[in-house]
Amino acid sequence: MTRVSEHLNQALHDLMESDPSVHLLGEDVSDPYGGAFKVTRGLSSRFGSRVRSTPLSEGAIAGVGAGLALAGDKAIVEIMFADFVALAFDQITNFAAKSTSMYGRPVPVPLVVRCPTGGNRGYGPTHSQNPQKHFIGVPGLSLFEMTPFHDAGELFARMFGLGRPCLFFEDKVLYTRQMYRTDDLFRFELVDDVARVHLDGAGRPDCTLVTHGGLVHRTLDAMRALLLEDELVCELLVPAQLYPVPRLPGLEDAAHVCVVDDGAEGGTWAAEVATALYPRLWGRLRRPITLINSADGVIPAAPHLEREVLVQADSIRAAVREALS
Amino acid sequence: MIVTAAPSRSPRHALNDADLRSLLLIRHFERALLGLFEQGVLSGTTHTCLGQEYIPVTLSALLRDDDFVFSNHRGHGHFLARHPDPHGLLAEIMGREGALCGGVGGSQHIYHRRFLSTGVQGESLPVATGVALKLAGTGALACAYIGDGTWGEGAVYEALNMASLWRVPLLVVVEHNGIAQSTPTSAQMAGTIAARAAAFGVRHHHVGSTDVGEIRQALAPLVDAVRAEPSPLVVEFATHRLGPHSKGDDTRPPEEIRRAAESDWYDRYAEADPERFARIDREQRELVERVVAEVSARPHARPGGAA
Ligand SMILES: Cc1ncc(C[n+]2csc(CCOP(=O)(O)OP(=O)(O)O)c2C)c(N)n1
Ligand SMILES: [Mg+2]
C-alpha cells in the first residue's frame, strides 16, 4: 500500500535517477524539510544541485524552469500552494507556452509545473483553490492532474514527451490516500489513458460521471450511496489529462453524463468537458449534461463553511438524483 | 544563516503595565493556539509569532488610530498589539460566533477597522502603497509587516519604487528572523535589505535590540518623518522565531533553536522585574485560558454575522 504522496516521491526519485537532465526547483523542497507536503523528500540529498530550494519567487522560478528547458534540460517546478501559480501566470502563459510556437518554428520547452490544489483542510481562501480553469485554452499549454489510478512516472514521461509546458495538479487531500484503491464495491481499469471505475458485472449504468483526480474519493462515496440507498448504478471516468480534453471512452450509449469539478462555478473545466462531448453525443443524450462545481464564492477557512462551498459527496449524490428524477 | 545576536543584557527601559500585558497576552495566545492544535481542536494551519511579540508591541505606541496596518501570515501579534481583542481573533481562528470576519478568513485573512492581513506573501505591499498614497498629507501612514523571505517577491520591489517616487507615508516593518519556512536567509537572499532600500532611495533603520522602550525612542522621530514629509521608511528588526514555521514543522538543528530561545525577551523582562512580571504573566495566562474556554463553547460562526 502506497500513499499518493509517497508514490509521487518515488516517481520523482526514479525520474531524476534515470534522466540526469531533469532539475527540480521550488520553495523549501530541500531536505530535511522535503517540501511543504513532503513530496520532494530525499531528492536534494541524492541529486545535489539539480534540486534547489528557491526564494519566494513563483514568477521567477517558473521562468528559470523555462530557461533550463530552453537550454536543453528538463525542469520540474513546485509551486507550494496552487493558489500562488497566479504569480507565475505570465511566465507560464506568455513565455513558456507561447515560445513553443511564437518564433515561427517549434521550440521544445519540457517544463512541468507541479501545483498542490484543493481545500477541505481549513487553510482558507488563498491556500485552497483549484485554479485549473484559469489555464484552459492557453495555446501551447497542457494540463494534467494526479489521480489514484495513474502511474506518476508514466505521467511525467508523457508530459516531458510533449515538449511543451504542462501544469500538473495534485490534490492535497489525495496525497494522504492510497494508490490504486477503490471502494470495495467498484473496480477500475485504464482504457487508453482514462481510468474507468465501475461496478463489477453491472450492465449499462444509469449515469456516467466524469471527474478529475482530486474529486475521485468524494465521487466514489457518492456512487456508493447512490447504489446502496437510491439503487442507481454509476460509472466513473477519470482522465489524467485535463486539457486538451482527451477522448473519454464508452459514452456512446450513456444514459446520462455528469461532470464533477472542484473548481468554482463559471468558466470551468466541467463546461470544457461538456463542450467536447456535445458534438459527439448530440442526438443520443436524453437530457443536458449535468455540471457540478464548487460554489461561486471564496473558500472559507472555517470547516463548517468551507464544506458548504466545495463539492462534497452529498452534493454529488443530490445532483445525480435530481438529474435522473 | 544570518544569526543576529540579540543583546543578552537586561532591558534598560522598564516596561509599563500596558506593554507588559500586551507582550504576555500575545505570548499566551500563541502558546494556547499550539496547544489547541495538539489537541486536534483547530483545523487548517497557524503561524505563531513566538519570540517576535515585542515588534508589534513596540510599534503600537507609535501608530495612530487612523493609520492602516497590513499584516501577513504571522499576524496574531500584529493584531493583538493593535486591537486587544483575543475573543474576536480566537473566534475567527476557530470559526465561532463573534469571529472578526465571520470565520471566512481564518488565521491569515483578517480585515478589522484599519487592520488587514492576507496569506499571499508580498501581495500587501503594493496595496499598502496605494492606501498610503491616499493618506499622504493627512498625517496618517500605512504600515506593512513583511518577513525577510518575502523580499523574494517582485511585488515588494515594484511597490518600494512607487512609494519612493511618489513620496508616500509607507512604513515597511521587516521581521528578519533569519529564516523563511525552512530556508535560511543565506540560501534565499543575496545582498542585504539595507542595500535594497538604499537602491530605491528609501530610508532604512536597523533594530538589533529587543528593548521596547529603547527601540521606540529611536523610532519615534523616524516615524514622525514618514508622516510629515511624507516618505517611505524600512525598519528592519533582527529577530528570532522561537517556534516552528507553522506547527510541528521545525527542521532546524537543536542548537539553532536553542540560540533563538536565548534571545527571547521573556526571561530578560522576567528577571528585570520579577514580582510585577509574574503577576501580569499569571493574569494574562489566566485571561487567555478564559478566552479559550469561552470561545470554544460558542456555536459556529454564520457568514454575514461578522463582528
Ligand atoms: C506568494 C507566496 N508564496 C509562498 C507562500 C508560502 N509561505 C508562507 S510563509 C512563507 C515563508 C515566509 O518567510 P518570511 O517572509 O521570512 O516570513 P516568516 O515566516 O519568517 O515570518 C512561505 C514560503 C505564501 N504564503 N505566499
Ligand atoms: Mg523570516
Side-chain angles (χ1 to χ4, degrees):
Chain A
M1 287 210 307
T2 314
R3 276 157 61 114
V4 172
S5 58
E6 292 161 357
H7 175 84
L8 279 162
N9 177 254
Q10 188 59 49
L12 290 170
H13 272 274
D14 294 347
L15 177 68
M16 296 199 74
E17 169 77 32
S18 66
D19 186 346
S21 73
V22 174
H23 302 255
L24 187 140
L25 308 164
E27 292 158 21
D28 302 286
V29 294
S30 296
D31 292 332
Y33 205 70
F37 301 101
K38 311 305 164 205
V39 173
T40 58
R41 212 172 239 171
L43 293 170
S44 68
S45 304
R46 203 164 152 204
F47 302 107
S49 63
R50 286 165 60 203
V51 177
R52 283 180 197 272
S53 274
T54 68
L56 277 78
S57 310
E58 290 78 8
I61 63 180
V64 169
L68 285 163
L70 198 69
D73 279 355
K74 302 186 183 77
I76 297 179
V77 168
E78 174 174 308
I79 302 291
M80 189 184 285
F81 285 80
D83 312 65
F84 313 146
V85 74
L87 285 145
F89 196 81
D90 174 65
Q91 286 290 348
I92 292 167
T93 62
N94 281 331
F95 183 77
K98 283 194 180 59
S99 64
T100 59
S101 60
M102 75 174 167
Y103 298 110
R105 63 178 189 282
V107 174
V109 182
L111 166 69
V112 172
V113 181
R114 294 183 37 240
C115 302
T117 56
N120 289 307
R121 292 186 60 146
Y123 284 173
T126 63
H127 287 63
S128 308
Q129 298 170 82
N130 276 281
Q132 291 90 329
K133 67 179 190 175
H134 301 301
F135 293 90
I136 289 174
V138 176
L141 187 65
S142 297
L143 313 187
F144 286 78
E145 179 160 330
M146 186 58 194
T147 90
F149 309 121
H150 290 81
D151 180 81
E154 285 171 21
L155 293 178
F156 284 125
R158 259 182 76 197
M159 290 189 278
F160 279 137
L162 293 172
R164 62 189 215 161
C166 295
L167 295 185
F168 186 49
F169 300 98
E170 304 166 6
D171 184 274
K172 301 193 286 287
V173 174
L174 183 65
Y175 282 148
T176 64
R177 311 301 291 254
Q178 304 294 327
M179 280 301 292
Y180 307 124
R181 282 251 306 257
T182 57
D183 187 287
D184 52 356
L185 288 172
F186 303 99
R187 40 173 293 155
F188 85 94
E189 67 202 359
L190 288 180
V191 183
D192 295 328
D193 194 44
V194 178
R196 177 174 166 255
V197 190
H198 56 95
L199 200 60
D200 215 2
R204 193 178 78 139
D206 298 299
C207 182
T208 304
L209 300 161
V210 181
T211 197
H212 55 103
L215 260 168
V216 162
H217 292 95
R218 280 171 277 166
T219 308
L220 285 175
D221 287 346
M223 285 166 63
R224 181 183 184 88
L226 284 162
L227 180 71
L228 299 181
E229 289 165 49
D230 305 308
E231 293 180 8
L232 292 171
V233 176
C234 295
E235 178 171 309
L236 173 63
L237 300 177
V238 188
Q241 181 178 313
L242 301 184
Y243 188 84
V245 177
R247 188 176 170 84
L248 298 168
L251 285 171
E252 268 57 33
D253 60 350
H256 182 54
V257 179
C258 190
V259 191
V260 198
D261 170 7
D262 218 7
E265 260 176 35
T268 61
W269 175 72
E272 194 59 33
V273 172
T275 302
L277 290 179
Y278 273 126
R280 192 176 132 201
L281 304 182
W282 199 251
R284 271 181 267 206
L285 290 168
R286 277 191 250 150
R287 45 176 90 77
I289 295 172
T290 301
L291 307 184
I292 303 173
N293 275 94
S294 292
D296 170 19
V298 303
I299 301 164
H304 67 285
L305 303 176
E306 179 184 38
R307 210 187 167 280
E308 290 171 9
V309 167
L310 299 176
V311 174
Q312 306 296 352
D314 48 10
S315 50
I316 299 170
R317 179 181 166 203
V320 171
R321 271 173 36 168
E322 192 191 316
L324 297 181
S325 64
Chain B
M1 86 176 272
I2 298 174
V3 178
T4 36
S8 51
R9 59 187 168 75
S10 60
R12 279 193 292 149
H13 298 250
L15 281 179
N16 62 36
D17 281 5
D19 285 333
L20 197 49
R21 264 195 206 103
S22 187
L23 279 172
L24 291 166
L25 171 65
I26 301 169
R27 172 64 51 108
H28 290 298
F29 188 89
E30 298 289 54
R31 280 198 187 143
L33 282 188
L34 290 180
L36 288 169
F37 262 107
E38 260 164 39
Q39 294 164 35
V41 186
L42 291 187
S43 61
T45 190
T46 198
H47 308 85
T48 65
C49 67
L50 295 168
Q52 306 181 182
E53 299 91 339
Y54 67 95
I55 297 171
V57 170
T58 298
L59 283 157
S60 62
L62 300 172
L63 295 177
R64 306 186 342 191
D65 278 352
D66 55 352
D67 291 340
F68 265 86
V69 172
F70 290 86
S71 172
N72 57 6
H73 61 300
R74 208 173 294 291
H76 306 152
H78 305 157
F79 179 83
L80 291 172
R82 186 152 172 84
H83 300 291
D85 176 11
H87 291 88
L89 180 59
L90 186 64
E92 184 59 43
I93 293 167
M94 298 188 80
R96 301 305 169 110
E97 211 165 72
L100 295 166
C101 300
V104 176
S107 165
Q108 302 190 71
H109 313 92
I110 286 165
Y111 190 13
H112 180 69
R113 302 206 192 154
R114 294 191 161 203
F115 178 98
L116 187 148
S117 66
T118 165
V120 184
Q121 301 304 325
E123 199 171 60
S124 68
L125 220 54
V127 181
T129 300
V131 166
L133 190 59
K134 163 85 176 164
L135 295 177
T138 67
L141 57 73
C143 165
Y145 289 94
I146 62 171
D148 47 290
T150 299
W151 290 83
E153 298 290 351
V156 170
Y157 301 85
E158 299 177 28
L160 265 192
N161 185 42
M162 284 184 275
S164 183
L165 276 174
W166 300 337
R167 314 306 303 166
V168 305
L170 174 70
L171 171 61
V172 180
V173 178
V174 185
E175 296 175 303
H176 188 336
N177 56 13
I179 192 165
Q181 198 143 338
S182 74
T183 308
T185 308
S186 57
Q188 41 94 344
M189 184 191 286
T192 64
I193 293 168
R196 282 164 165 74
F200 291 103
V202 172
R203 220 172 273 145
H204 172 270
H205 181 80
H206 187 269
V207 178
S209 167
T210 58
D211 180 337
V212 171
E214 180 180 86
I215 308 168
R216 231 179 238 162
Q217 215 167 51
L219 285 184
L222 296 170
V223 173
D224 284 347
V226 171
R227 301 178 190 285
E229 290 181 359
S231 63
L233 167 70
V234 172
V235 179
E236 176 186 355
F237 286 81
T239 189
H240 292 83
R241 194 189 83 197
L242 299 190
H245 168 69
S246 47
K247 22 142 196 149
D249 65 344
D250 209 334
T251 48
R252 292 176 292 181
E255 44 315 340
E256 208 172 299
I257 296 176
R258 196 164 349 103
R259 246 197 328 265
E262 278 162 15
S263 75
D264 191 7
W265 52 266
Y266 185 92
D267 290 341
R268 282 206 299 285
Y269 276 121
E271 282 159 23
D273 194 349
E275 188 276 326
R276 188 168 64 108
F277 187 96
R279 174 170 50 80
I280 296 179
D281 191 43
R282 187 179 343 103
E283 166 198 303
Q284 295 304 84
R285 196 182 56 239
E286 288 168 5
L287 168 67
V288 170
E289 281 166 9
R290 284 196 304 277
V291 171
V292 168
E294 207 232 279
V295 172
S296 306
R298 292 183 188 178
H300 285 317
R302 295 315 314 171

